[in-house]
Amino acid sequence: MTTVAAYAAPAAKAPLERTTIERRAVGEFDVLIDIKFAGICHSDIHQAREGWGEAIFPMVPGHEIAGIVSEVGPGVTKYAVGDRVGVGCMVDSCRECDNCKAGLEQYCTGGGMVGTYNAVGKDGEPTYGGYSEKIVVDENYVVGIPEGIALDEAAPLLCAGITLYSPLKHWNAGPGKKVAIVGLGGLGHMGVKIAHALGAEVTVLSQSLRKKDDGLKLGADHYYATSDPKTFEELAGTFDLIVSTVSAPMDFGALLSLLKRDGALVNVGAPEEPIPLNLFSVIGGRKTLAGSMIGGIAETQEMLDFCAEHGFGAEIELIRADEINEAYERVLASDVRYRFVIDTATI
């Protein structure tokens, strides 16, 4: 066991504070990672404040982890000391169900994926995330970060990047397709970059035009305010695919009206409250209302390689560990462009 410094929420809704945690000894197939940067995801806040239900405390959040391998177990073949690596939202799964065998570990049906934090590992111990100095992870749940992406800009790709890449690929965003991204935040800004790089015609649908210049610089072709009723008149029946990144209740009927026949509205934001829906919104036009999580390990690696090939990472604001609680409040106020990343050297 190794004792490392970390920032943890001692209880639901309590401010995060500096503490120490124990990391397991490096096993045969394990990789010890010196964490260099950890992104702050809105889901960290949901879980630390029990917005999604009962949680495990003390909680060390963080599932956007970028670092350097400092030790490997004797059976490790994929990574070596000194490698640049990342860890996303899961650190294990059953490995035996149809989904795991298909490389869709995020949809594991053999007990579910083991979350990087706020979960219980196969050893019966709670998992602790990336707001810490080091982490030990099985090599099969680690991905390589290409040299073309700076480690701090790579960290948010491990959740925000793959959360948008997976549905954009699955629903065939690309040349000739009109794609809308709802919300230009930590998730949405990656959706714009990725959809643009895939060759789609990209529109941002945001509450206001406040971030319009940013959206266009990131690769959007068009930018509309959802607070303007004319937007829904003008864009009715326009899109092949809409990806909603918003974690607050939305008018899904209004968004569905913007789809072409056979279009899909895919939700990756996870509001804490149920969403009402009139089913005629999907019946008319044979439309699909769907959801999507992160990607599997292979697809996460594919996403990182894609981002490196196209020369981009996340747009970040680097912070010290003692600024985490302030950053949480700023995320809730939409006051970040576009992802906070913790410099873990300051823990």
Side-chain angles (χ1 to χ4, degrees), residues 147-164:
E147 289 292 339
I149 313 174
L151 281 181
D152 53 357
E153 295 181 1
L157 302 182
L158 277 304
C159 176
I162 187 58
T163 296
L164 273 296

Side-chain angles (χ1 to χ4, degrees), residues 87-93 105-106 113-116 141 294-297:
V87 178
C89 301
M90 60 181 153
V91 291
D92 212 340
S93 64
E105 301 94 340
Q106 74 273 33
M113 72 176 196
V114 177
T116 304
Y141 296 82
I294 55 170
I297 298 300

Side-chain angles (χ1 to χ4, degrees), residues 27-42:
E28 184 176 3
F29 301 105
D30 284 339
V31 174
L32 175 63
I33 302 166
D34 290 342
I35 300 173
K36 299 301 181 183
F37 301 99
I40 292 179
C41 178
H42 201 150

Side-chain angles (χ1 to χ4, degrees), residues 75-129:
V76 170
T77 59
K78 297 180 179 179
Y79 301 102
V81 172
D83 284 354
R84 296 155 43 94
V85 295
V87 178
C89 301
M90 60 181 153
V91 291
D92 212 340
S93 64
C94 84
R95 313 185 192 202
E96 296 174 355
C97 71
D98 289 346
N99 286 343
C100 282
K101 288 178 178 177
L104 297 167
E105 301 94 340
Q106 74 273 33
Y107 301 124
C108 173
T109 56
M113 72 176 196
V114 177
T116 304
Y117 68 91
N118 191 28
V120 176
K122 291 180 179 176
D123 58 3
E125 296 297 320
T127 57
Y128 297 121

Side-chain angles (χ1 to χ4, degrees), residues 49-71:
R49 301 186 177 185
E50 286 195 324
W52 289 343
E54 190 175 347
I56 301 170
F57 294 94
M59 180 192 297
V60 177
H63 56 208
E64 297 182 338
I65 299 168
I68 304 293
V69 175
S70 58
E71 184 182 342

